[in-house]
Amino acid sequence: PFFPLLISFCSSALGFLATLKLIPAFKEHFISARLSGVDLNKVIKREIPESQGVISGAVFLIILFCFIPVPFLSCFVEEQCKRFPHDEFVQLIGALLAICCMIFLGFADDVLNLRWRHKLLLPTMASLPLLMVYFTNFGNTTIVVPKPFRALLGLHLDLGILYYVYMGMLAVFCTNAINILAGINGIESGQALLISASIILFNLLELNGDYKDDHIFSLYFMIPFFFTTLGLFYHNWYPSSVFVGDTFCYFAGMTFAVVGILGHFSKTMLLFFIPQVLNFLYSLPQLFHVVPCPRHRLPRLDPATGKLGMSYSKFKSRDLSKLGELLLKVAAALRVVEVRRGLEEDGEFMECNNLTLINFVLKLIGPTHERTLTVIMLLIQVQ
Amino acid sequence: MWTVSPPFFPLLISFCSSALGFLATLKLIPAFKEHFISARLSGVDLNKVIKREIPESQGVISGAVFLIILFCFIPVPFLSCFVEEQCKRFPHDEFVQLIGALLAICCMIFLGFADDVLNLRWRHKLLLPTMASLPLLMVYFTNFGNTTIVVPKPFRALLGLHLDLGILYYVYMGMLAVFCTNAINILAGINGIESGQALLISASIILFNLLELNGDYKDDHIFSLYFMIPFFFTTLGLFYHNWYPSSVFVGDTFCYFAGMTFAVVGILGHFSKTMLLFFIPQVLNFLYSLPQLFHVVPCPRHRLPRLDPATGKLGMSYSKFKSRDLSKLGELLLKVAAALRVVEVRRGLEEDGEFMECNNLTLINFVLKLIGPTHERTLTVIMLLIQVLGSAVAFGIRYHLVRLFYDV
């Protein structure tokens, strides 16, 4: 059973080298296609290729396409299996279909700049094959109720169609959660790298348990993902010579959702997403426009000191809804948000810091150099 | 009891959802026009007097609608297993076929779109379909693993009744995807021809599948219909906007998408030879183009026919080069071709008489050579009629001449 894992490890190492070399090789193609951006937090503005997640994603797909027959080799060579395990094969192909579709739609989003409602639709569509495969392979929508609720709901609860809604939402959540904890060099690829490392560790620990096959399945995806993302991270680390693009966030989110769902450990996986969840909760008021939300919420560079400080959302005091007013009062009292009122000559404006985890960390530790800030954010991920 | 036979219920669902897909494609293409133009995924129609920016790569929209239709359709052929417990054992191998085929097509649409956006080089145009067909080969390997073919009658004395091609069979399958995608890609350049030819090929395949529904390999042909029906209707939506005068261009994305879909149904439906018969015009165009594809004769960037602004008609386009730049092989080829009257060659051009030119070696140019300058819309109609003729010949070969080669 460990022979396929060894093959996976070796091909993933090759994938790491391939990603490392391909990213610079295609730089010109991306810039001529105008898939590039400017680093807002650097003094010198250079055009940097975007959407490099498409390269690491393509390498990932190739590795896995070639890997497809490997877990089943024993069935062909030695006739060691009574009946070909079609259901496991289906799981593998179905998972790849969801991930491939997601990379495609993510790249289309990067190129065409689709609207926000599309960012919720696309992962849902890409997860359809996953749901169908789950339906035909397991069809199990019963969960074990956590102890505190057992008196109320019994030991098992059949969620029925809600289970599928949960799975669909998982993909949407993972992709967008990674996408909004962003803005400083290396944080998107870095956080994904750490989450996948955590999942790999978890899988390895569980290899001696009852659900060995589920965790081996997860490793087949996580190992190539880790190494291709490592190649991407090398170029994305401070100072970034490439940006990963929404493509990468979609790709990473869907891959995590896939292994969580088909490996049956989605709750554990969500635990590895704690920083993303915290960032999401903190961001809610701006995501729902209760508090005004500007186009970019990343920290701002102070050219004099070369350090990043919090970024603020500035708006007219009377434009703020009652709910927003209330929220900000409470948050300021709890010292989680910094609010300044009475700005500009007419005292009409107020501002609050943009509600991202990165800004919150800056609030606690003060202006910081970008590289240090990213390291701190990644350490939070490790914790 | 069912009001329609069980096997046809999924086909009915497929037909209805494909009709919806036609409407969706029809509406989505204009809706996203601005997005494509701002992304600079647009081109100029070289054969129009007024140059406007027209969105490119619209194949990505029809492809995405196709994928959504099929994603939702995945459980439908297997419904009887869940609802009525009518099957003893879940047919995982058929399910794998469906998912594997979708994976190859999805990957191809993705890589095709990446090619359109990033303008990858020619060698990539051969690599990409090969990579996208890997899942197909893997699925074939695990599901069938059968690499034996029935030898055509004339060769049986030499090779026997059956011949195991082994790994060559997989090479053939991989090449099929590469061939289909690029064959559609090079028979191009006039409004509506790419989507039009794909539409006609898919219609021919659908007809063939329907005819074979009473035969021994019913399941293979039903499987093929599951893909061809949505493909036909989404391409129809695309064709509506792409027809003369084009308001959108289909892009390489569409050629990749179409080619891979055809290769998929041909391989997994086990009728790849018949499918290639429907590609007769594409094959002829490919053979005629070979000298330019291999640069034996110089090949310019665009080989489409040229507009004569005075008459508003299209005429042949030419490849102009210095006489002494031509290799001996090219010299020989052109001499033979000119003698056979299949190529028009002019020598001694320019003041110094150093230059020569020949018409670009495409089927479209050849037709223009035969019938003279023509209006673009008429030319496209003629090309599509050639496609229909090719399909008619294909059916004739498949159902009549086939007896010369195989026992049926």
Side-chain angles (χ1 to χ4, degrees), chain A residues 26 29 33-34 54 62 65 69 76 86-87 89-90 93 100-101 103-104 111-114 125 132 136-137, chain B residues 32 35 39-40 60 68 71 75 82 92-93 95-96 99 106-107 109-110 117-120 131 138 142-143:
Chain A
F26 281 96
H29 287 276
R34 306 241 304 205
V54 75
I62 297 174
F65 282 176
F76 305 119
H86 279 291
D87 51 341
F89 193 61
V90 155
I93 308 269
C100 178
C101 184
I103 298 177
F104 162 53
V111 171
L112 301 172
N113 287 311
L114 304 175
M125 298 196 304
M132 302 301 179
T136 53
N137 255 12
Chain B
F32 281 97
H35 287 276
R40 305 240 305 203
V60 73
I68 297 174
F71 281 178
F82 305 120
H92 279 291
D93 51 340
F95 193 61
V96 154
I99 307 270
C106 179
C107 183
I109 298 177
F110 162 51
V117 172
L118 301 172
N119 285 313
L120 304 175
M131 296 194 308
M138 301 303 180
T142 53
N143 255 13

Side-chain angles (χ1 to χ4, degrees), chain A residues 298-332:
Chain A
L298 59 151
R300 290 281 165 220
L301 177 71
D302 178 356
T305 62
K307 294 187 175 189
L308 292 184
M310 292 198 282
S311 65
Y312 294 86
S313 169
K314 197 178 211 168
F315 46 87
K316 285 200 171 171
S317 302
R318 59 170 189 269
D319 283 342
L320 191 61
S321 68
K322 284 250 184 308
L323 178 60
E325 185 68 46
L326 180 65
L327 263 167
L328 284 180
K329 280 211 172 93
V330 172

Side-chain angles (χ1 to χ4, degrees), chain B residues 156-368:
Chain B
R156 276 185 203 170
L158 208 68
L159 299 167
L161 181 61
H162 294 285
L163 179 64
D164 188 358
L165 291 175
I167 197 139
L168 280 183
Y169 199 82
Y170 290 94
V171 174
Y172 163 68
M173 289 198 291
M175 292 296 100
L176 195 65
V178 177
F179 174 74
C180 292
T181 50
N182 288 292
I184 296 178
N185 207 354
I186 60 176
L187 185 55
I190 50 182
N191 289 177
I193 196 171
E194 302 94 343
S195 49
Q197 67 186 282
L199 209 60
L200 289 170
I201 295 175
S202 70
S204 311
I205 296 180
I206 290 175
L207 192 59
F208 175 61
N209 291 144
L210 290 173
L211 288 173
E212 290 288 315
L213 276 185
N214 296 317
D216 292 329
Y217 301 99
K218 193 172 70 166
D219 288 337
D220 288 340
H221 292 281
I222 291 180
F223 177 81
S224 166
L225 282 169
Y226 290 158
F227 288 84
M228 286 289 101
I229 297 176
F231 179 79
F232 180 83
F233 280 97
T234 52
T235 307
L236 192 61
L238 183 61
F239 183 68
Y240 176 85
H241 291 286
N242 186 232
W243 180 245
Y244 182 93
S246 291
S247 53
V248 299
F249 287 146
V250 298
D252 285 346
T253 312
F254 177 75
C255 301
Y256 280 118
F257 166 42
M260 180 54 84
T261 310
F262 292 137
V264 158
V265 297
I267 290 171
L268 294 177
H270 301 98
F271 58 86
S272 57
K273 296 190 294 293
T274 311
M275 192 197 70
L276 281 174
L277 285 177
F278 295 128
F279 270 73
I280 289 176
Q282 282 72 23
V283 171
L284 290 176
N285 182 50
F286 171 69
L287 293 174
Y288 189 50
S289 296
L290 272 178
Q292 279 191 309
L293 294 178
F294 282 96
H295 297 286
V296 173
V297 170
C299 184
R301 174 80 181 82
H302 289 290
R303 302 190 298 156
L304 59 150
R306 290 284 165 216
L307 176 70
D308 179 354
T311 62
K313 295 186 175 189
L314 293 184
M316 289 198 286
S317 63
Y318 295 85
S319 172
K320 196 177 211 169
F321 45 90
K322 285 198 172 173
S323 301
R324 58 169 190 272
D325 284 345
L326 190 61
S327 68
K328 283 249 186 312
L329 178 60
E331 185 69 46
L332 180 65
L333 263 167
L334 284 179
K335 278 212 174 89
V336 171
L340 291 173
R341 306 260 285 272
V342 293
V343 178
E344 183 178 315
V345 183
R346 302 177 190 163
R347 300 169 195 276
L349 301 169
E350 302 289 317
E351 301 89 34
D352 50 7
E354 290 266 307
F355 283 81
M356 64 186 282
E357 65 180 19
C358 67
N359 65 290
N360 278 313
L361 303 171
T362 71
L363 196 61
I364 304 174
N365 271 338
F366 185 69
V367 167
L368 281 171

Side-chain angles (χ1 to χ4, degrees), chain A residues 214-226:
Chain A
D214 287 342
H215 291 282
I216 291 180
F217 177 82
S218 165
L219 282 170
Y220 289 158
F221 288 85
M222 285 289 101
I223 297 176
F225 178 78
F226 180 83

Side-chain angles (χ1 to χ4, degrees), chain B residues 20 52 69 74 79 111 193 287 357 389:
Chain B
L20 284 175
R52 267 170 43 228
I69 293 176
I74 290 173
L79 274 180
L111 294 176
I193 196 171
L287 293 174
E357 65 180 19
L389 189 65

Side-chain angles (χ1 to χ4, degrees), chain A residues 17-36:
Chain A
L17 292 172
T19 313
L20 211 60
K21 298 208 54 131
L22 286 173
I23 287 180
F26 281 96
K27 188 169 172 164
E28 284 314 311
H29 287 276
F30 279 85
I31 301 212
S32 352
R34 306 241 304 205
L35 272 174
S36 57

